[in-house]
Amino acid sequence: MDRKVRLPQGIRNFVAGSLFSLISGVMMFLSRIVFLKYMTVDYVGYTSLFEHVFLFVSVVDCGVNTSLTSFMSRALASDNDEKKNGVLREAKKLYLIVSAVMMTLFFFISLFFMEKKGLFIPSLLYFIGQCAQYYLGWRALALNVSGRNDVVSKYVHIGRGVGSVLEMVIITLTRSFTLYIAASMVSVILSYLLLFFKAGSVCKWIDEKKGVIDKKEEKYLFKMMPSMASHRFGSLFFRSYEIIAVNLIFGFTIGGRYSNLLLISTAFMTLFWIFQSSVTGIVGEHYAVEGRKDTYSLYRKMSFYNLLVSFFAALIFLLFGGEIGALSFGEENIVLETRFMALEMFLLSSRTTLLVLRDAMGDYHRDWWKPLLEAISVIILTLLLRESFDYQAIPLSISITLLVLSIPVDTLIITHRLKGKISATMVSVLIPTIVLSLILLVLGSLFV
């Protein structure tokens, strides 16, 4: 991809993703209001638990998606159609294996854990939809790495919007939680089926029958997966663990209230996830063609601007998150403690540039132990302190502590691998992160 094309393509991806996510986000927000009007907050806890259990267990992906993204970026840089299709053939096989393993795990989770609450059928329907989405996503890999995230965003978010409309109709007419989950499952599968077929017309080179993957590269791919699985587990852990812990420790009612505030923070975080998906493939190709030095300069600029945007998003959430939640869901359904969540949102979003660089470089197997150590520490601290938790503080403070520790380490690791200057990174990334975190804490104490 020509350098002059990268920036406009990244901007197009971000604008399209933001627009479609805004539309589907509004529909999802309305769907949640209708859901709470006709159902109880306990059911909100159930849906949130399903979602985050899926995220948590999807670590059995073992880094397949991330590994293949790195390999596809290199294949695209060589402009070898056989090589690109070879990676896609490998992706098809691996995605099928992973989705089958996940579905087996989810069947037993539904049977032995959800059945006690009468949730076996709803949870199984939800997990079938998510596993089907995962498998069908192997062709979306070609679109993402080719820089056509705008196509992926279009179909995914249109599917979500249509699903939200179906969910509102079903809840209003039937009050059936099972049919509500079934509608969500159908909309997810249909949107990814359409995306699956669309990928072939956008990426004209797709023809898996002609694909050949080099045996040495295939061996290296599998060698990288355990370390990538560790990093995937780490990134998913912070998104899923809190809501699972809240539901299991405090019950589904508290989990439902907490998930309402989480929904609002997720709306803010969506822009950063869109940015991450929009530019990861482009940065990977940039790194493969331009080399470390040029990528380091790009990294510093991205990090600095990402920090500023992260701070203002967290500040807006800090000032208005509780009010928006109370306006939409009622004060009895909202957790009023927003300081910790605003700080965590800032720290999570500030890692976006690190995640982009880490995935694009495909070279972080040497610190595979770090995410596992962080996750184990969070679990141990939660178990030790569970009696001290007020449900409005929850384990957020623990996650924040570990994020504060992990962000500098991740930054230094990437700086070293890109052969950049530590002093330059301190000034452009680490010091601003610390200062902005302290400002958020002070403002939270004054206004919340």
Side-chain angles (χ1 to χ4, degrees):
M1 188 188 305
D2 187 82
R3 179 183 287 203
K4 295 180 180 179
V5 178
R6 290 182 189 131
L7 182 58
Q9 191 156 310
I11 293 173
R12 182 188 63 190
N13 292 339
F14 184 76
V15 171
S18 301
L19 178 63
F20 288 120
S21 66
L22 176 64
I23 295 171
S24 69
V26 170
M27 297 307 300
M28 290 172 65
F29 205 73
L30 293 174
S31 175
R32 181 65 69 94
I33 295 174
V34 172
F35 186 91
L36 278 168
K37 180 179 180 180
Y38 292 105
M39 307 293 280
T40 67
V41 73
D42 295 68
Y43 282 103
V44 180
Y46 297 154
T47 56
S48 295
L49 184 65
F50 294 167
E51 176 187 351
H52 289 84
V53 165
F54 172 77
L55 284 174
F56 200 73
V57 179
S58 64
V59 72
V60 299
D61 167 86
C62 290
V64 165
N65 185 61
T66 309
S67 302
L68 290 168
T69 299
S70 175
F71 272 76
M72 182 64 78
S73 295
R74 291 195 290 176
L76 286 174
S78 68
D79 199 29
N80 185 320
D81 285 354
E82 285 195 354
K83 209 171 185 180
K84 290 184 281 189
N85 282 305
V87 178
L88 275 187
R89 285 182 64 182
E90 197 70 17
K92 181 179 180 180
K93 179 174 64 177
L94 292 173
Y95 275 47
L96 178 61
I97 293 171
V98 171
S99 57
V101 172
M102 284 196 294
M103 196 60 245
T104 303
L105 288 173
F106 290 133
F107 175 80
F108 287 107
I109 289 173
S110 298
L111 183 64
F112 293 107
F113 295 100
M114 304 302 181
E115 178 63 25
K116 296 178 182 178
K117 295 286 184 180
L119 298 172
F120 175 71
I121 297 299
S123 62
L124 198 59
L125 288 174
Y126 179 87
F127 294 139
I128 288 172
Q130 296 302 312
C131 289
Q133 169 190 320
Y134 177 86
Y135 172 66
L136 293 172
W138 65 269
R139 268 202 175 186
L141 174 73
L143 289 168
N144 285 325
V145 180
S146 299
R148 294 308 309 270
N149 306 79
D150 56 319
V151 177
V152 179
S153 297
K154 176 181 176 180
Y155 282 88
V156 170
H157 289 295
I158 286 176
R160 288 178 182 174
V162 171
S164 297
V165 173
L166 288 174
E167 290 164 3
M168 286 188 280
V169 171
I170 287 172
I171 285 295
T172 304
L173 296 178
T174 69
R175 314 289 199 274
S176 171
F177 184 62
T178 301
L179 290 178
Y180 170 86
I181 295 295
S184 175
M185 177 193 73
V186 170
S187 63
V188 164
I189 292 177
L190 286 179
S191 65
Y192 270 82
L193 270 174
L194 291 172
L195 182 61
F196 179 88
F197 292 111
K198 184 66 176 178
S201 62
V202 174
C203 299
K204 302 294 186 181
W205 50 265
I206 291 180
D207 184 0
E208 297 89 4
K209 294 180 181 179
K210 298 180 179 179
V212 177
I213 188 168
D214 185 89
K215 292 298 180 182
K216 290 183 179 180
E217 288 196 347
E218 186 178 29
K219 185 177 180 180
Y220 184 63
L221 173 68
F222 285 101
K223 185 179 179 181
M224 290 173 67
M225 281 184 186
S227 59
M228 289 190 169
S230 171
H231 285 273
R232 176 170 170 77
F233 175 78
S235 62
L236 291 177
F237 184 86
F238 286 108
R239 289 178 58 190
S240 61
Y241 175 75
E242 288 162 4
I243 193 67
I244 294 175
V246 170
N247 276 290
L248 296 181
I249 294 176
F250 299 106
F252 289 103
T253 300
I254 299 302
R257 292 173 182 170
Y258 176 60
S259 70
N260 286 334
L261 192 60
L262 196 64
L263 179 67
I264 300 169
S265 68
T266 299
F268 282 89
M269 282 295 299
T270 299
L271 290 176
F272 297 97
W273 293 329
I274 293 171
F275 173 77
Q276 181 182 342
S277 64
S278 297
V279 302
T280 297
I282 295 173
V283 173
E285 195 269 347
H286 180 99
Y287 175 72
V289 174
E290 305 293 345
R292 294 173 182 262
K293 185 176 180 180
D294 193 64
T295 305
Y296 178 67
S297 175
L298 175 67
Y299 156 65
R300 284 180 53 202
K301 292 176 183 177
M302 286 171 56
S303 295
F304 186 73
Y305 291 119
N306 185 56
L307 279 174
L308 293 179
V309 176
S310 301
F311 174 77
F312 285 111
L315 182 61
I316 293 171
F317 175 82
L318 179 69
L319 297 176
F320 304 111
E323 285 74 8
I324 295 172
L327 179 66
S328 304
F329 304 121
E331 290 187 14
E332 73 279 2
N333 288 330
I334 214 71
V335 178
L336 298 178
E337 180 61 74
T338 57
R339 283 175 295 178
F340 285 130
M341 188 170 284
L343 180 57
E344 185 189 35
M345 191 177 79
F346 166 67
L347 293 173
L348 281 172
S349 58
S350 68
R351 299 175 81 198
T352 302
T353 309
L354 298 176
L355 296 176
V356 168
L357 259 293
R358 193 191 68 195
D359 291 348
M361 290 167 63
D363 179 29
Y364 47 88
H365 55 279
R366 286 169 288 182
D367 56 326
W368 60 267
W369 50 269
K370 184 177 174 293
L372 296 179
L373 181 62
E374 291 174 351
I376 292 169
S377 301
V378 170
I379 294 172
I380 292 174
L381 287 172
T382 302
L383 293 175
L384 290 176
L385 300 176
R386 60 181 295 179
E387 300 300 328
S388 304
F389 282 138
D390 177 358
Y391 77 83
Q392 290 187 333
I394 339 190
L396 284 169
S397 55
I398 295 175
S399 296
I400 289 170
T401 301
L402 288 172
L403 280 169
V404 168
L405 294 174
S406 66
I407 287 175
V409 175
D410 285 336
T411 304
L412 294 175
I413 288 173
I414 287 180
T415 303
H416 173 70
R417 289 181 186 164
L418 289 173
K419 302 190 183 305
K421 295 181 179 179
I422 300 298
S423 58
T425 305
M426 290 284 289
V427 173
S428 62
V429 181
L430 292 183
I431 293 177
T433 302
I434 296 170
V435 172
L436 293 174
S437 298
L438 292 175
I439 291 174
L440 273 178
L441 284 175
V442 172
L443 290 176
S445 301
L446 292 176
F447 298 112
V448 178

